Amino acid sequence: MGILLSGVSLLAQTNAPSGAQPAEPKTSSSSQGGDAGKIRTALEEHVNGKAKGIEILTDTQGIDFGPYINEQVLRSVRWNWNVLLPDEARPPQSKQGWIVIDFYILKDGTVAGMKVVDSSGDITLDRAAYGSIKNSVPFKPLPAQFTGHYLGLRLHFSYNTAAKKPGFSISPVESTVAVSSSVQFRAVENDKDAAVTWSITACNDSCGTISPTGLYTAPPKIPNPPKVGICAKLIGNPDYNVEATVTVIAPKP
């Protein structure tokens, strides 16, 4: 569980926050050329899953905002998020959710244009993520060498979920199986069978077994609760995993 903040990526956007100054004029061609390589590399890393959790939405003017974001923004947001973390997100319930929030830091460290762009569907999880940013305001003023009016950021909050890799999926996502019976799971990456390690999660005990090839066999008795989590992790990159749920039921008479 955490805010996926292992890297910073750049998005070539210039969306203005509500009530803030108009968008900055485009920089000179020479300045753009200097930033282009950084932006392209960062975007490639983001697509490949190397940069996760926080994105810069506005022009950086070639300034390295890494130290400012890590020391002045993320440290405070992490602390406040941990304080506001709802009980259902903690063990043993460990509720899952994924929230994405956009906001803009003005020159004096205040925030404008804050909004949830991707909700978890659970108001308590969303409120904790939103409050972690709101309670961190004001941040330190933006670096003096930055002449822009604001810095746009997008923050990804993850509750008990891992990063998802495009093209990596599991099937079936949900299934039902009788006690002592089996169901075959398949992990796919870009329409081809993926090399993964299989495991059982979200189950107390007597959950059944899963083979190295993804064959799940239910226990002889219905577990409590009857839903069992199935997880597939990429062998080449275990930071990425996909999950499915199987419900164990009594056999038909």
Side-chain angles (χ1 to χ4, degrees):
M1 176 174 57
I3 312 174
L4 294 181
L5 301 176
S6 58
V8 177
S9 63
L10 299 168
L11 292 184
Q13 299 179 9
T14 55
N15 298 328
S18 176
Q21 297 290 336
E24 290 289 300
K26 292 184 178 180
T27 55
S28 65
S29 59
S30 59
S31 174
Q32 287 181 335
D35 279 348
K38 296 179 182 178
I39 293 174
R40 182 170 56 253
T41 299
L43 284 171
E44 288 173 352
E45 289 185 348
H46 182 68
V47 170
N48 292 332
K50 297 177 182 177
K52 299 173 287 186
I54 185 164
E55 303 163 19
I56 297 177
L57 303 176
T58 51
D59 183 14
T60 64
Q61 300 180 353
I63 294 173
D64 179 11
F65 273 96
Y68 175 84
I69 291 173
N70 288 322
E71 297 298 322
Q72 307 301 335
V73 179
L74 299 185
R75 178 177 294 181
S76 179
V77 170
R78 282 194 184 102
W79 191 89
N80 282 299
W81 186 62
N82 186 61
V83 170
L84 296 171
L85 202 64
D87 289 340
E88 55 263 44
R90 303 179 188 273
Q93 188 172 351
S94 300
K95 194 166 189 177
Q96 294 185 336
W98 185 278
I99 302 96
V100 181
I101 299 176
D102 286 1
F103 62 102
Y104 296 80
I105 303 176
L106 307 184
K107 289 180 70 68
D108 62 357
T110 56
V111 165
M114 188 171 162
K115 64 179 180 179
V116 175
V117 295
D118 191 0
S119 169
S120 68
D122 186 308
I123 191 171
T124 59
L125 301 185
D126 288 359
R127 184 181 291 126
Y130 192 93
S132 71
I133 300 173
K134 186 176 180 180
N135 290 1
S136 299
V137 177
F139 297 109
K140 293 286 186 180
L142 295 177
Q145 63 270 35
F146 179 64
T147 60
H149 294 295
Y150 49 79
L151 175 70
L153 298 177
R154 173 171 293 166
L155 222 57
H156 298 246
F157 293 79
S158 169
Y159 290 91
N160 305 301
T161 61
K164 296 180 180 180
K165 185 174 185 180
F168 180 37
S169 63
I170 189 175
S171 63
V173 175
E174 294 185 1
S175 58
T176 301
V177 62
V179 293
S180 300
S181 298
S182 299
V183 59
Q184 178 68 54
F185 286 91
R186 183 188 181 202
V188 174
E189 184 179 14
N190 297 325
D191 299 323
K192 296 180 179 179
D193 287 333
V196 300
T197 55
W198 294 94
S199 62
I200 293 175
T201 63
C203 184
N204 296 325
D205 59 1
S206 301
C207 305
T209 61
I210 189 163
S211 74
T213 59
L215 180 66
Y216 171 75
T217 301
K221 295 182 179 181
I222 299 176
N224 184 22
K227 289 185 179 294
V228 177
I230 304 297
C231 178
K233 290 187 178 182
L234 279 176
I235 291 178
N237 193 340
D239 287 340
Y240 292 108
N241 65 59
V242 288
E243 296 185 358
T245 301
V246 57
T247 302
V248 182
I249 60 174
K252 292 182 180 181

Short mmCIF file of all heavy atoms in Angstrom, two decimals, residues 29 85 105 135-136 181 244:
data_model
loop_
_atom_site.label_atom_id
_atom_site.label_comp_id
_atom_site.label_asym_id
_atom_site.label_seq_id
_atom_site.Cartn_x
_atom_site.Cartn_y
_atom_site.Cartn_z
N SER A 29 12.87 27.89 -29.46
CA SER A 29 13.13 26.59 -30.07
C SER A 29 14.34 25.92 -29.46
O SER A 29 14.39 24.71 -29.31
CB SER A 29 13.32 26.75 -31.58
OG SER A 29 14.40 27.63 -31.85
N LEU A 85 -5.22 7.75 6.62
CA LEU A 85 -5.52 6.42 6.07
C LEU A 85 -6.71 5.79 6.78
O LEU A 85 -6.70 5.62 8.00
CB LEU A 85 -4.30 5.52 6.22
CG LEU A 85 -4.18 4.32 5.29
CD1 LEU A 85 -4.06 4.77 3.84
CD2 LEU A 85 -2.98 3.49 5.69
N ILE A 105 0.74 23.80 -8.21
CA ILE A 105 1.41 24.57 -7.16
C ILE A 105 1.78 25.93 -7.74
O ILE A 105 2.50 26.02 -8.73
CB ILE A 105 2.66 23.85 -6.65
CG1 ILE A 105 2.30 22.45 -6.13
CG2 ILE A 105 3.32 24.67 -5.55
CD1 ILE A 105 3.50 21.64 -5.68
N ASN A 135 -3.99 19.00 3.17
CA ASN A 135 -3.41 19.27 4.48
C ASN A 135 -1.92 19.59 4.42
O ASN A 135 -1.33 19.98 5.42
CB ASN A 135 -3.64 18.08 5.42
CG ASN A 135 -5.09 17.93 5.82
OD1 ASN A 135 -5.95 18.70 5.40
ND2 ASN A 135 -5.38 16.92 6.63
N SER A 136 -1.31 19.38 3.25
CA SER A 136 0.11 19.69 3.08
C SER A 136 0.34 21.12 2.60
O SER A 136 1.48 21.59 2.57
CB SER A 136 0.74 18.72 2.07
OG SER A 136 0.66 17.38 2.52
N SER A 181 -12.53 -28.95 -6.71
CA SER A 181 -12.47 -28.85 -8.17
C SER A 181 -11.40 -27.84 -8.57
O SER A 181 -10.82 -27.14 -7.73
CB SER A 181 -13.83 -28.45 -8.73
OG SER A 181 -14.81 -29.43 -8.42
N ALA A 244 -6.81 -11.94 -9.72
CA ALA A 244 -8.14 -12.46 -10.05
C ALA A 244 -8.77 -12.97 -8.77
O ALA A 244 -8.09 -13.11 -7.73
CB ALA A 244 -8.04 -13.57 -11.08
#
